[in-house]
Amino acid sequence: MSRLTAQINPSGVDPEELRRIPLFAALTPGQILDLSQMLRKRKYSSGDVIFHQGDEGESFYIIEGGSVRITQLSEDGRELTLIVLRDGDFFGDMSLLDGDPRSASAITAEDTEVLMLFRDDFMNFIIRYPPASLEILRVLSLRLRRMDEVLGEAIFQTAAVRLARRLMELMAIYGQAMDEGTLLNVVLTQTQLAEMVGLTRVTVNKELAQMEEMGVPKRIKRKIVILDEEHLKRLALVAA
Ligand code: CMP
């Protein structure tokens, strides 16, 4: 057992586990130990709401294991999944940084374990550890870049291109190599997939059926296998 593992603190957070989280990669062992005393661990079941859009922001979250959908509701009650976050990703930063209410809801997509930092501890953390603050800025910049792309797509691209691009994104996150192709190892209903692309369920169903005819994806129960990645890239208008 390493020196760090031996020092699991009363909050139940193992400093050794923290080393594997990209946000904490540049911290010294002493800093990791300090941090482990501030973090709290919490477990959620699949489908649990961690917080709602509009709530006051009280904590910052890091996913230790599992996945979380970040969603917004339209005024007529439709849900849009902005992104699905996975192990090592963080969320809940925006309302702590700007003081406004939660910009979106966070809902677990499977059984999920998170680490939480209360607002004051989060503020101390980013002030005290500049490498971690730089990592947060890098991720915020990536998110802005991605949302610029999604906005451009929504205005300039067809439903088929948008769906193909989301499938490629899901492949990068959940892809698991199989004999036949790549399994997107996540259970997504067609409604949830539609919410991610900003299309209706009927349109997604129609586009998926057309792609299936071309031999690109195949639906197996509630999962999707990508059979022809090169063709998917062409549909997404992504250079090979
Ligand atoms: P906050 O507004 O506190 O609560 C919702 C969180 O979802 C937000 O902080 C971000 O951490 C996260 N979030 C909101 N929009 C996006 C997005 N487009 N991409 C990634 N994460 C997001």
Side-chain angles (χ1 to χ4, degrees):
M1 190 186 285
S2 74
R3 189 180 66 81
L4 278 178
T5 309
Q7 299 184 40
I8 294 180
N9 60 68
S11 65
V13 177
D14 177 358
E16 197 63 46
E17 287 170 25
L18 298 184
R19 300 195 150 286
R20 294 194 286 271
I21 295 173
L23 183 57
F24 305 138
L27 301 188
T28 64
Q31 290 170 336
I32 292 250
L33 260 184
D34 283 351
L35 187 68
S36 68
Q37 274 146 35
M38 294 192 267
L39 286 161
R40 295 286 172 273
K41 206 184 258 250
R42 195 165 280 182
K43 289 182 181 178
Y44 293 93
S45 301
S46 179
D48 281 352
V49 177
I50 299 177
F51 54 73
H52 283 106
Q53 180 179 353
D55 286 353
E56 194 185 331
E58 282 160 1
S59 315
F60 171 77
Y61 297 83
I62 303 146
I63 303 176
E64 242 205 327
S67 53
V68 173
R69 290 189 305 121
I70 300 294
T71 69
Q72 278 190 338
L73 269 189
S74 67
E75 281 176 10
D76 59 357
R78 282 176 298 153
E79 196 179 58
L80 171 68
T81 299
L82 294 168
I83 194 162
V84 183
L85 302 174
R86 293 227 63 183
D87 297 11
D89 289 338
F90 60 80
F91 60 96
D93 39 282
M94 287 164 57
S95 54
L96 299 192
L97 292 170
D98 65 18
D100 278 352
R102 295 290 191 198
S103 59
S105 301
I107 304 170
T108 54
E110 58 189 297
D111 291 352
T112 296
E113 212 165 272
V114 298
L115 296 168
M116 285 170 55
L117 261 184
F118 292 118
R119 175 199 291 273
D120 289 350
D121 290 332
F122 172 70
M123 290 303 180
N124 283 333
F125 169 66
I126 56 177
I127 290 166
R128 276 167 54 194
Y129 306 126
S133 314
L134 282 176
E135 175 61 12
I136 291 177
L137 286 176
R138 188 186 69 81
V139 172
L140 293 184
S141 159
L142 278 180
R143 286 182 189 170
L144 188 56
R145 209 179 265 280
R146 177 177 173 273
M147 289 322 285
D148 286 354
E149 279 171 20
V150 170
L151 182 64
E153 273 172 21
I155 293 174
F156 300 123
Q157 300 295 354
T158 61
V161 172
R162 284 154 64 188
L163 178 60
R165 288 189 181 174
R166 283 302 82 70
L167 289 177
M168 285 188 61
E169 213 172 74
L170 287 171
M171 216 169 118
I173 303 173
Y174 294 107
Q176 241 175 44
M178 298 171 61
D179 288 345
E180 267 187 300
T182 306
L183 169 71
L184 307 188
N185 197 12
V186 56
V187 175
L188 273 182
T189 62
Q190 248 168 51
T191 305
Q192 285 169 344
L193 188 57
E195 285 159 359
M196 291 187 73
V197 198
L199 297 169
T200 63
R201 194 184 54 77
V202 176
T203 308
V204 162
N205 195 19
K206 195 184 97 198
E207 295 295 340
L208 263 182
Q210 277 176 10
M211 283 187 184
E212 274 184 320
E213 272 172 33
M214 293 184 245
V216 179
K218 183 167 91 175
R219 284 176 274 197
I220 302 178
K221 293 186 184 156
R222 286 164 67 201
K223 293 190 179 172
I224 295 175
V225 179
I226 303 298
L227 304 171
D228 187 344
E229 189 179 337
E230 288 310 311
H231 196 156
L232 181 66
K233 277 188 192 164
R234 289 198 296 278
L235 291 176
L237 304 182
V238 172

